[in-house]
Amino acid sequence: MSAVLDVVNPFDQTKVGSVELSEWDDVDAMLGVAHTLYRNRDGWLPAYKRIEILKETARQMSGRAEELALLIASEGGKPLIDARVEVTRAIDGVELCIHEIGQMSGREIPMDLTEAGSGRIAFTQREPIGVVVAASAFNHPLNLIVHQVAPAVAAGCPVIVKPALDTPLSCEAFVDMLHHAGLPKDWCSFAACQNDVAEKMIIDPRVGFFSFIGSARVGWMLRSKLAPGTRCALEHGGAAPVIVDETADLDAVIPLLTKGSFYHSGQVCVSVQRVYAPSGMVAEVAQKLADAAAALKVGDARDPNVDCGPLIRPTEVDRVEQWVDEAVQAGATVLAGGKRLGPTTYAPTVLLNPAAEARVSIAEIFGPVVCIYGYDTIADAFDAANGLDFAFQSAVFTKNLDTAMQAIQRLDATAVMVNDHTAFRVDWMPFAGRRQSGYNTGGIGYTIHDMTQDKIAVIQL
């Protein structure tokens, strides 16, 4: 008999549901069936059928939008107002996959550029890459699944999805909707499983593409163990930097920094963590942000008036508390928060000038903590922003076009937001980490491209 995993609300630890855990024999069978489906080219799902399935899935999601939002808030602790936005984005993501199916086209390759190629015509087409295994994270329990699973369906790949064990219910609901929309069950399998089973699945040679969202330590380890030929995409995190210059309109800046810093209690891979402001105005920037942080309501994410919910596990509150305490002992000034509010919540926290070597300065805290630093020259700010081994999205606030263009050129990041926070994203833009922050590029269209491969046909006339 399969073990059953109880899923709890991270705020009060009450049970909100349960799922059956898959053992290796279950997953091995899933892989076998999925690999057989892929190898049987006559049985591949045609584009029109994939479009029909995804259209019906989006329709079902729209009809269950409030139910899905409450599920996100209940199992993941994301405030209801933000959970509703996540559902809307997830629906848009499915519809974007439908659009991208029509973009999966090849091109003519000119052959008569040399005498050796003359007398031939050639063209390419895109084919599914193989069985996709997707391992996901807890912080966007529906939208991340959509970003990993719906592109696989669009590309025509059989897919097995392993959700974060903290938040499997949204994933299970999405897979069920795909099945009810007409996707044969073997084309998308739900595999909630422990890490040892998941690793064995991921490194299996039957896997054509591995999609991972989670910690860098785990992601890079798994990549090193992939079977020869398995392609992958890794999405990790960072400690996103923001530069504020002396021309910035602080009345516009502070609300954006507040949202970017404390959205989902900082449990976002591109959450604002490091803010650099001119030495002459750093105290003002820090205090204004602290005032905004202090006004945020912390509590049960199911309460529509709550701005910041719990951290995903009580042990994460312990860790954040330890990191902040270390920073304060090393000289950081607490301007807001700096304390736990209960077993599962931590106050939105603003730290002024933590030490450069403090963990809050050099590692992703993944909690409701933002650090403010002073700088003397803009070049110093760029150097500090670029000083870590990982990089994802970054931002600059300025009214000076030269400064904006300089930031775009100088910041070592895959995205530079001008006059916006680092957590901004739309689902059709490229989304990727540099260096230790990730491998390959996310975004619906980019993911579908990675889950397909070119085939060329050359015809001698």
Side-chain angles (χ1 to χ4, degrees):
M1 178 179 293
S2 298
V4 174
L5 173 72
D6 288 337
V7 182
V8 301
N9 182 300
F11 177 71
D12 59 14
Q13 300 294 294
T14 57
K15 179 180 174 181
V16 296
S18 62
V19 295
E20 286 191 4
L21 289 173
S22 297
E23 302 298 337
W24 170 246
D25 287 347
D26 305 313
V27 172
D28 183 43
M30 294 175 193
L31 282 168
V33 171
H35 190 251
T36 299
L37 287 173
Y38 174 68
R39 298 290 290 178
N40 177 23
R41 290 172 173 255
D42 291 339
W44 284 3
L45 298 174
Y48 78 87
K49 183 64 175 176
R50 287 176 267 142
I51 290 170
E52 289 176 357
I53 290 166
L54 291 171
K55 281 184 175 179
E56 175 59 18
T57 301
R59 189 194 67 78
Q60 290 183 39
M61 294 171 73
S62 296
R64 297 174 59 183
E66 188 63 19
E67 171 195 342
L68 291 170
L70 184 59
L71 188 58
I72 291 167
S74 297
E75 69 171 343
K78 176 179 285 187
L80 193 56
I81 187 173
D82 296 318
R84 289 170 176 149
V85 173
E86 179 175 341
V87 174
T88 300
R89 282 185 59 193
I91 296 167
D92 289 344
V94 173
E95 293 175 343
L96 186 58
C97 285
I98 297 168
H99 168 77
E100 290 293 337
I101 291 175
Q103 310 305 308
M104 287 166 38
S105 58
R107 64 186 184 93
E108 182 183 354
I109 306 297
M111 297 302 291
D112 60 350
L113 302 178
T114 67
E115 183 178 353
S118 64
R120 294 167 176 81
I121 60 173
F123 60 89
T124 64
Q125 56 189 2
R126 302 294 293 179
E127 291 187 342
I129 199 168
V131 177
V132 171
V133 166
S136 204
F138 75 85
N139 52 335
H140 309 292
L142 178 62
N143 198 42
L144 292 183
I145 298 297
V146 165
H147 271 256
Q148 294 173 286
V149 173
V153 174
C157 296
V159 56
I160 303 171
V161 56
K162 182 234 176 264
L165 293 186
D166 293 300
T167 56
L169 302 177
S170 298
C171 176
E172 187 177 44
F174 180 68
V175 172
D176 285 346
M177 283 185 284
L178 283 172
H179 294 158
H180 283 108
L183 182 69
K185 287 192 174 183
D186 290 336
W187 280 84
C188 182
S189 297
F190 172 82
C193 54
Q194 298 292 351
N195 291 341
D196 57 338
V197 175
E199 180 175 333
K200 197 170 181 180
M201 170 175 63
I202 288 160
I203 66 176
D204 191 282
R206 291 169 289 186
V207 177
F209 190 86
F210 170 48
S211 170
F212 179 80
I213 302 174
S215 78
R217 179 186 61 81
V218 174
W220 290 110
M221 178 274 292
L222 290 171
R223 179 176 179 264
S224 73
K225 296 183 177 183
L226 293 179
T230 302
R231 273 46 174 178
C232 73
L234 310 176
E235 182 184 308
H236 305 317
V242 175
I243 296 173
V244 179
D245 84 350
E246 64 277 357
T247 70
D249 177 1
L250 294 188
D251 289 338
V253 169
I254 297 304
L256 290 168
L257 284 183
T258 303
K259 188 64 177 180
S261 302
F262 303 114
Y263 165 60
H264 200 5
S265 294
Q267 298 171 113
V268 180
C269 61
V270 287
S271 178
V272 173
Q273 185 170 329
R274 298 177 292 148
V275 178
Y276 300 92
S279 297
M281 58 188 291
V282 66
E284 181 185 8
V285 172
Q287 190 58 57
K288 285 181 178 290
L289 185 55
D291 292 343
L296 297 173
K297 181 177 179 179
V298 180
D300 189 336
R302 296 167 294 189
D303 180 343
N305 297 312
V306 160
D307 301 298
C308 295
L311 298 190
I312 192 62
R313 292 178 294 276
T315 53
E316 290 300 290
V317 182
D318 297 338
R319 181 186 57 78
V320 169
E321 181 179 48
Q322 183 181 35
W323 286 28
V324 171
D325 289 349
E326 287 177 359
V328 172
Q329 290 168 12
T333 301
V334 177
L335 297 181
K339 60 184 179 181
R340 67 191 306 147
L341 300 177
T344 61
T345 53
Y346 196 86
T349 296
V350 176
L351 301 178
L352 178 60
N353 287 324
E357 67 276 9
R359 280 192 284 186
V360 295
S361 297
I362 62 174
E364 181 181 32
I365 193 164
F366 225 62
V369 179
V370 62
C371 304
I372 318 293
Y373 311 84
Y375 68 82
D376 294 325
T377 69
I378 195 75
D380 293 337
F382 291 141
D383 288 344
N386 294 337
L388 302 181
D389 291 332
F390 40 83
F392 212 135
Q393 299 199 157
S394 61
V396 61
F397 286 91
T398 180
K399 289 184 178 181
N400 187 307
L401 180 60
D402 288 343
T403 300
M405 294 306 298
Q406 192 178 10
I408 291 168
Q409 294 296 319
R410 292 286 302 277
L411 286 172
D412 186 9
T414 52
V416 178
M417 308 302 170
V418 178
N419 294 326
D420 209 341
H421 60 71
T422 59
F424 172 80
R425 180 188 184 186
V426 292
D427 297 306
W428 54 90
M429 67 185 251
F431 189 72
R434 288 189 174 181
R435 302 195 298 280
Q436 295 182 24
S437 286
Y439 181 78
N440 261 325
T441 302
I444 294 291
Y446 299 88
T447 299
I448 292 174
H449 186 271
D450 283 347
M451 291 179 177
T452 58
Q453 53 194 346
D454 275 316
K455 174 184 280 184
I456 185 170
V458 182
I459 304 170
Q460 183 167 329
L461 301 175

